[in-house]
Amino acid sequence: MRITEKFILLICIIFSTYSNSQSKMIVGNKHTILVEIPKKWIQAQNDQLPFFIKPDEKNVSELTYMYVYGIDYDTNPKLDEWIDGNNKYLIENEKGVKIGSLDLKFENIKKDNYVNGNYKIVTYEYKNKRKECLLIIECINTIVTVVLSTDNDLEFKKYIKSFEEIVKSTKILGTTLKVQE
């Protein structure tokens, strides 16, 4: 095989690998988040969220989904203050919401040049039995959230492994988005 043929073969292999890949990149003004879509999940359309996925199954509730989102700030956001603000908002606007936590450990979320290494998982159970799991990651100038929302506790137990899968694949980079004029 000549070098040209080897090069073309290599390009075809790389293209087919990446075209079948479930990797996604979420870009903000100060961050880039890389994630892998869990098995049996597909990307879905959402007008407010750039990365929104649903189980690739029939008869899935509208309340069952996951998303990953980064919120940029001018100053360094504090994890506990962000959680307190979010909890306060939900208590005021979602009567009867139950707030809890999950004790899951993720080795990929550790201190580096952008991620502070601080994270917590908060759970919410609403009066209609909807259940959410919200991972909050503190970064320099950004709060990253990974959210699992389900219609009920049974679905929550079914999809929590997919939540763990997406979190374990999450990589967060500090970047600066520059707009050319």
Side-chain angles (χ1 to χ4, degrees):
M1 204 182 273
R2 294 182 307 200
I3 293 188
T4 310
E5 292 169 333
K6 288 181 183 178
F7 179 73
I8 291 171
L9 180 62
L10 179 63
I11 294 296
C12 289
I13 291 170
I14 291 171
F15 178 74
S16 66
T17 300
Y18 283 103
S19 66
N20 291 327
S21 175
Q22 291 284 335
S23 296
K24 295 295 175 180
M25 182 170 28
I26 304 115
V27 179
N29 290 332
K30 298 179 181 183
H31 67 272
T32 299
I33 306 166
L34 305 167
V35 295
E36 298 283 330
I37 297 177
K39 296 174 189 88
K40 299 182 182 177
W41 287 71
I42 56 171
Q43 191 151 6
Q45 184 67 34
N46 184 288
D47 294 335
Q48 298 174 336
L49 299 165
F51 181 78
F52 181 85
I53 59 176
K54 293 190 68 65
D56 189 11
E57 299 174 7
K58 292 181 181 181
N59 302 320
V60 174
S61 164
E62 289 295 314
L63 298 175
T64 302
Y65 54 82
M66 284 196 289
Y67 69 84
V68 178
Y69 192 68
I71 307 163
D72 292 326
Y73 296 91
D74 291 329
T75 59
N76 294 351
K78 300 297 179 212
L79 180 70
D80 290 328
E81 291 174 11
W82 193 94
I83 292 170
D84 289 345
N86 195 62
N87 289 351
K88 182 179 178 186
Y89 174 83
L90 285 173
I91 289 168
E92 291 172 0
N93 294 285
E94 294 285 343
K95 300 299 179 211
V97 66
K98 295 177 186 173
I99 300 172
S101 63
L102 277 179
D103 187 27
L104 299 174
K105 302 295 180 205
F106 298 103
E107 292 183 20
N108 60 309
I109 304 173
K110 57 188 174 213
K111 186 170 177 54
D112 63 18
N113 292 336
Y114 195 69
V115 179
N116 294 341
N118 300 327
Y119 67 92
K120 288 186 179 175
I121 301 172
V122 181
T123 60
Y124 302 101
E125 187 170 342
Y126 300 89
K127 283 177 111 176
N128 65 356
K129 300 301 178 197
R130 175 176 165 221
K131 195 163 183 180
E132 285 184 325
C133 179
L134 179 66
L135 168 70
I136 306 99
I137 306 168
E138 180 183 280
C139 305
I140 298 171
N141 298 108
T142 304
I143 290 288
V144 172
T145 58
V146 181
V147 177
L148 168 64
S149 174
T150 61
D151 190 34
N152 54 52
D153 191 54
L154 186 63
E155 280 192 354
F156 186 84
K157 289 174 182 171
K158 178 179 179 180
Y159 295 122
I160 191 68
K161 292 292 181 199
S162 295
F163 173 80
E164 291 179 60
E165 188 179 334
I166 198 168
V167 172
K168 288 176 182 176
S169 77
T170 301
K171 294 171 187 61
I172 306 164
L173 307 169
T175 56
T176 303
L177 183 64
K178 293 185 179 182
V179 179
Q180 291 184 337
E181 295 180 23

